[in-house]
Amino acid sequence: MTSVMWFRRDLRSADNPALLAALADGPTLPLFVLDPALWDPAGPSRRAYLVASLRALRRDVPVSVLQGDPVRRVVEAAQEVGATSVHIAADFGPHGRERDAAVEQALRDAGVELVRTSSPYAVAPDRVKNGSAQPYKVFTPFSKAWGEHGWRAPAGALPSDARWRHLKETVDLPDVELPEGLELPEAGEAAAIDAWHDFADRLADYDEARNLPGVPGTSRMSHHLKWGEIHPRTILADLGGPRGKGPATYRTEIAWRDFYADVLFQRPDSARDYYRPEFASMQYDDPGADLDAWKEGRTGFPIVDAGMRQLLATGWVHNRLRMIVASFLVKDLHVEWQHGARHFMHWLVDGDLASNQHGWQWTAGSGTDASPYFRVFNPTSQGRKFDPAADYIKRWVPELADVADPHEPSADDRDRVGYPAPIVDHQAERREALDRYEAIKS
Ligand code: FAD
């Protein structure tokens, strides 16, 4: 029997249970569909990374690429090769679930079965439940139950006798032009495994170093995980049982990823709307020139501008900076989180609806485990604390490299190097944010 393996965000050959299930059925057509619903809103960094990742996958798996609505394209592909089954890793996002249900119906009408095996998560959404069989709404108990639930061991490597089918006509992968100065990390399964092995030397220090944006203290695995170039199962198996703070904290971060996927599965509306509905009635400002200044990294707050410029230059931002810049947009500029989340999704190579929208909602105070709204990040003291030597600021805001205090340049220094004055007074906006919060609390 012939089968189709429809790749989506599982762009690897090893530890890929859906691919193994397809190959177990017989000769397999490996397929990727460039879906305009996902391609069109993606920014150049995500598009370019996806294309690079598909090219890398093709070194091991001869993927045929089609373009268009998967509901039509997957059925056409299955019919062309006479497949009786189409294999996928389950998608739990709002768009993915709807799309897969529509594809499943169309395949059924054509006499082809859609088979879901595994997911992009260590523990798939809707599995971890509390004693009353309800999903968790708070991370810490979720994380404990998640650890107790456990996960499968990695699936095997790609069999050497894999038999492949091809489509007669496929589309060429497009060359994506990147804006000047944007440099992306290397894509693909081999790069993911190298990055993971490279991080092994830094894992012991992860618990401390992960908060310092000026040093390479985090793993930089998020884009590899996002595109499934490596599965969290593989990572968790390498981490083994508890052995020191570094590995334990790293395991907790993987649990956050699964938690947010679970939360989004339970509350698909939280991709767009406030997880805590009372926040919808808070007073926000219409986004205008301030939002543009934030996007372009010229707010006059060096640590904020460094983060925003890192995003535009690399398609990635350090977690500490994601929190600082998000807090600044919502609490200093009083702009609704959705505007910032959209900008992030446009540029982040690791842009993931669940982690991104809930990272934003957490910072905005409207999400699960919300950081208390009254805890407003002071961008300058965050910079001083987490980037004490201003290495990070100097890297991304190079005009501040030689000023006396890169965290808070004097007016003279700003004039001299052409760096803008702060667009707001942080203390005044902090009070304003708290007043607006008081109004919805009562
Ligand atoms: P590491 O510190 O090495 O963490 C290891 C892995 O754990 C990450 O690769 C990621 O898969 C997972 N992880 C770590 N922190 C979190 C977290 N808070 N939530 C969920 N998963 C986590 N992460 C994304 O993958 N995609 C996003 O679109 C995204 N948007 C975010 C937006 C905001 C406003 C915030 C505050 C956080 C966001 N995060 C997002 C989470 C986190 O910032 C990134 O996962 C992390 O910076 C990626 O770098 P790393 O791989 O070096 O992280």
Side-chain angles (χ1 to χ4, degrees):
M1 283 189 306
T2 297
S3 68
V4 175
M5 169 64 197
W6 176 21
F7 284 93
R8 292 97 65 84
R9 46 178 298 183
D10 40 9
L11 306 180
R12 66 184 183 282
S13 62
D15 186 11
N16 191 332
L19 177 59
L20 294 179
L23 288 165
D25 276 1
T28 297
L29 166 72
L31 176 70
F32 189 89
V33 182
L34 288 172
D35 176 358
L38 297 175
W39 180 264
D40 292 349
S45 39
R46 285 249 294 295
R47 290 180 181 180
Y49 191 89
L50 168 61
V51 167
S53 188
L54 284 167
R55 289 196 172 124
L57 179 63
R58 274 185 169 166
R59 285 182 218 131
D60 299 308
V61 179
V63 185
S64 292
V65 177
L66 293 177
Q67 191 164 24
D69 182 352
V71 176
R72 286 188 50 199
R73 293 291 174 258
V74 174
V75 177
E76 286 164 6
Q79 286 177 326
E80 182 181 324
V81 296
T84 51
S85 57
V86 171
H87 292 261
I88 56 171
D91 190 326
F92 288 87
H95 170 81
R97 270 155 78 188
E98 233 171 75
R99 175 202 57 208
D100 290 353
V103 171
E104 185 169 32
Q105 184 58 51
L107 285 170
R108 198 180 293 131
D109 294 345
V112 181
E113 190 190 2
L114 183 73
V115 184
R116 294 173 178 82
T117 310
S118 188
S119 79
Y121 306 103
V123 183
D126 213 28
R127 291 265 167 83
V128 178
K129 301 275 176 68
N130 66 19
S132 323
Q134 292 302 309
Y136 286 98
K137 294 182 176 160
V138 177
F139 174 70
T140 305
F142 171 91
S143 165
K144 189 164 176 288
W146 175 85
E148 283 161 7
H149 180 285
W151 36 84
R152 289 180 193 278
L158 184 66
S160 55
D161 60 352
R163 285 181 300 152
W164 303 114
R165 301 290 309 268
H166 304 266
L167 290 177
K168 283 194 207 89
E169 273 183 48
T170 67
V171 298
D172 290 335
L173 284 169
D175 285 320
V176 180
E177 210 176 304
L178 288 179
E180 208 186 316
L182 175 55
E183 273 184 44
L184 297 182
E186 197 183 339
E189 186 172 10
I193 291 166
D194 282 354
W196 176 238
H197 289 163
D198 178 56
F199 178 63
D201 295 339
R202 289 177 281 132
L203 182 58
D205 298 329
Y206 174 71
D207 188 53
E208 297 274 317
R210 76 196 172 104
N211 267 315
L212 306 175
V215 302
T218 68
S219 65
R220 301 291 306 259
M221 294 302 293
S222 51
H223 45 279
H224 298 306
L225 284 163
K226 151 74 196 182
W227 293 106
E229 296 167 341
I230 189 168
H231 195 278
R233 247 189 328 258
T234 309
I235 287 178
L236 289 164
D238 284 356
L239 289 175
R243 50 178 184 98
K245 263 192 166 178
T249 304
Y250 198 87
R251 207 170 13 251
T252 305
E253 298 307 321
I254 299 293
W256 273 109
R257 182 175 181 270
D258 280 13
F259 176 60
Y260 282 150
D262 189 62
V263 173
L264 185 63
F265 176 76
Q266 308 296 345
R267 285 277 308 275
D269 62 298
S270 65
R272 306 271 170 262
D273 301 333
Y274 289 87
Y275 181 78
R276 294 174 186 230
E278 64 271 26
F279 276 81
S281 60
M282 193 145 102
Q283 188 198 336
Y284 299 97
D285 290 355
D286 287 340
D290 283 356
L291 176 63
D292 294 337
W294 177 83
K295 285 182 179 172
E296 291 161 16
R298 42 178 190 80
T299 64
F301 287 86
I303 194 78
V304 173
D305 293 341
M308 298 311 294
R309 293 188 198 181
Q310 183 182 31
L311 173 62
L312 297 183
T314 67
W316 181 84
V317 190
H318 190 280
N319 182 59
R320 173 61 43 188
L321 265 301
R322 295 190 203 209
M323 295 193 287
I324 294 173
V325 302
S327 174
F328 186 81
L329 185 71
V330 175
K331 295 182 185 173
D332 283 76
L333 303 183
H334 317 292
V335 170
E336 288 187 271
W337 66 268
Q338 293 90 335
H339 293 279
R342 200 172 307 128
H343 181 69
F344 265 35
M345 283 302 280
H346 188 80
W347 288 104
L348 282 174
V349 176
D350 66 23
D352 171 87
L353 199 68
S355 297
N356 188 55
Q357 311 306 82
H358 280 282
W360 272 91
Q361 296 234 40
W362 181 89
T363 317
S366 63
T368 65
D369 305 80
S371 69
Y373 191 86
F374 53 82
R375 241 186 247 155
V376 179
F377 276 15
N378 176 325
T380 310
S381 37
Q382 285 282 313
R384 288 198 197 285
K385 181 167 178 196
F386 294 107
D387 185 27
D391 296 327
Y392 180 79
I393 289 178
K394 291 178 192 170
R395 166 81 179 83
W396 296 109
V397 190
E399 63 268 37
L400 297 180
D402 297 323
V403 304
D405 181 3
H407 292 287
E408 223 171 353
S410 65
D412 282 353
D413 276 341
R414 287 176 195 262
D415 276 353
R416 183 171 56 80
V417 302
Y419 182 70
I423 56 171
V424 292
D425 172 344
H426 171 69
Q427 290 307 339
E429 299 313 332
R430 176 178 179 278
R431 281 191 299 277
E432 175 66 22
L434 296 181
D435 286 349
R436 294 185 189 198
Y437 177 57
E438 278 303 314
I440 62 160
K441 244 176 65 187
S442 44

